Amino acid sequence: MSLDRRAFLKLGLGACLLPLVGAGRAQTLVSEQLYAFGTLVEVGVATDRPALAQLAIDRVARDFVAQNRQWHAWKPGALSALNQALADNRAHQVDAQLCRMLREAQALSRASAGMFNPAIGRLIGRWGFHDDLPPTGAPPSARELAELIAVPPTMDDLVIEGERVYSRHPQLQIDFGGYAKGVALDLALDRLTAAGCNHAVVNLGGNLAVSGQREGRPWRIGVRHPLRRGAIIAVVEVEGRTAVVTSGTYERYREHAGRRYAHIIDPRNGQPAAHVASATVLHPNAALADAAATALVVAGPQAWPEVARAMGVTAVLLIEPEGQVQLTPAMAEHLRFVSPPASVRMVRL
Ligand code: AMP
Ligand code: MG
């Protein structure tokens, strides 16, 4: 579908691709939408060879469907087979790609001081987020949570010998919900680049990654306002390989007795993160950006700079639950606010 026929690629979460004003050299934006990773996915390629781009996009779409199955925490696939083996206290042979992800997630978890911790799958499941539908009813009891976090599993409890994996912690279950989309974004751009599509945008439910440019200019990405449904808080302009990944406590939550419980869980206390509305990270590596955005939400409005530094992230936009904004100079270089925030604090890392 060309840009002429469709105004712009727009999704409900995190961020979206904005229309281009005053475009230069005419290029077609070949794009396709599909449903994967529990969300709407869109792949766009700016090209003057639309047929070639379409073939590459079809490949990426097939990859997403396969990855979604392989990396799902609870539906049948490679990761759930590993989780079953871990629950049975068995060693398990994983494929090379899953093995790479486990190793990288270990390193990212360590760097984040455990704020990003995909080993807490059991806890996330107990909160009810292992379901396609948002959970309902009362949250887990304090006693249950206390049991689950008494000695919380960490990624370092996972032993990886070659491609053979086992756990030293009986409660360890892997949930890549905070990371797999980033990996998929990186692989999608690799795939598109290999096919000669050097100017592309991939949007996985509001997590985007771009390469190259849009008609000789940066790609324009709208960052969703976490507190105003349907509104954009800022526009980010990026070019060359860059991921724009957002984690938000407003995205998915459980509602009970007038309270909202977000899907991002603080591994330290077993409770949903409640002190950050959203964190947006720009980074060339989408997997790292994804893990970092989740970690910064958990770290909270005071501690996040330390975690960002440790994870090698310099461009951050963090929005607090009352609308106060914190951002780094590296983010400010790319960003323009479209709705004036309650307050803006520049944070040097
Ligand atoms: P994201 O939108 O990238 O922040 O990912 C949120 C998802 O990551 C949740 O739905 C869970 O599946 C998973 N998750 C929740 N809390 C954590 C955490 N502290 N560390 C790693 N993954 C988490
Ligand atoms: Mg994440």
Side-chain angles (χ1 to χ4, degrees):
M1 186 178 289
S2 77
L3 191 61
D4 326 324
R5 272 184 283 141
R6 247 231 334 269
F8 50 88
L9 306 173
K10 194 163 182 274
L11 296 175
L13 304 169
C16 61
L17 182 67
L18 297 172
L20 202 71
V21 277
R25 193 164 62 93
Q27 245 184 354
T28 307
L29 186 74
V30 183
S31 84
E32 197 164 302
Q33 283 190 342
L34 68 143
Y35 192 80
F37 294 97
T39 187
L40 191 60
V41 176
E42 196 141 19
V43 185
V45 172
T47 182
D48 40 21
R49 297 164 78 189
L52 204 83
Q54 187 60 56
L55 283 178
I57 291 175
D58 290 346
R59 272 304 285 279
V60 169
R62 282 202 297 276
D63 288 348
F64 283 152
V65 173
Q67 290 160 349
N68 188 24
R69 203 173 38 239
Q70 293 309 315
W71 306 338
H72 214 284
W74 73 93
K75 291 185 185 168
L79 182 57
S80 65
L82 170 63
N83 277 335
Q84 187 57 56
L86 297 177
D88 299 343
N89 199 20
R90 280 186 283 119
H92 186 74
Q93 185 79 17
V94 294
D95 61 77
Q97 173 61 36
L98 185 54
C99 195
R100 270 195 298 278
M101 289 169 75
L102 291 167
R103 285 184 196 279
E104 190 191 24
Q106 267 184 333
L108 290 168
S109 186
R110 229 174 272 142
S112 77
M115 306 288 158
F116 166 70
N117 182 1
I120 58 165
R122 198 176 288 273
L123 182 60
I124 295 165
R126 190 56 204 87
W127 272 99
F129 294 111
H130 283 179
D131 205 326
D132 288 331
L133 298 172
T136 51
S141 71
R143 217 194 67 212
E144 243 181 304
L145 291 179
E147 271 169 28
L148 281 169
I149 60 154
V151 188
T154 73
M155 285 305 285
D156 283 332
D157 292 319
L158 202 66
V159 183
I160 308 174
E161 290 169 349
E163 287 170 3
R164 193 171 156 271
V165 179
Y166 64 93
S167 168
R168 292 201 200 97
H169 194 303
Q171 301 289 330
L172 193 154
Q173 290 281 286
I174 301 290
D175 179 320
F176 275 158
Y179 163 72
K181 288 195 190 95
V183 177
L185 285 172
D186 285 328
L187 294 176
L189 286 187
D190 288 349
R191 174 79 85 192
L192 292 169
T193 307
C197 301
N198 298 315
H199 303 277
V201 58
V202 185
N203 188 345
L204 279 184
N207 298 304
L208 286 94
V210 308
S211 64
Q213 295 180 316
R214 173 81 180 104
E215 299 192 334
R217 293 196 185 182
W219 294 94
R220 297 177 73 234
I221 312 291
V223 179
R224 296 265 162 217
H225 200 309
L227 309 174
R228 279 192 237 144
R229 213 179 167 76
I232 282 169
I233 188 162
V235 174
V236 170
E237 292 199 345
V238 280
E239 59 191 303
R241 198 143 167 166
T242 314
V244 185
V245 176
T246 300
S247 271
T249 46
Y250 62 95
E251 280 177 9
R252 253 191 117 210
Y253 46 80
R254 174 188 199 125
E255 229 161 1
H256 181 70
R259 266 200 70 184
R260 279 185 180 183
Y261 301 90
H263 69 141
I264 299 170
I265 310 293
D266 187 334
R268 294 167 293 186
N269 57 18
Q271 294 290 333
H275 305 294
V276 171
S278 71
T280 300
V281 172
L282 306 188
H283 198 276
N285 180 328
L288 188 151
D290 194 355
T294 305
L296 299 184
V297 169
V298 173
Q302 274 85 40
W304 72 266
E306 208 177 305
V307 174
R309 237 177 270 125
M311 297 187 83
V313 163
T314 57
V316 178
L317 168 72
L318 185 121
I319 303 170
E320 296 180 43
E322 303 302 325
Q324 300 94 329
V325 164
Q326 301 186 41
L327 83 165
T328 60
M331 176 63 91
E333 269 175 36
H334 295 271
L335 176 141
R336 185 170 49 80
F337 287 106
V338 288
S339 14
S343 68
V344 180
R345 188 151 73 86
M346 191 67 78
V347 178
R348 276 163 226 290
L349 293 179

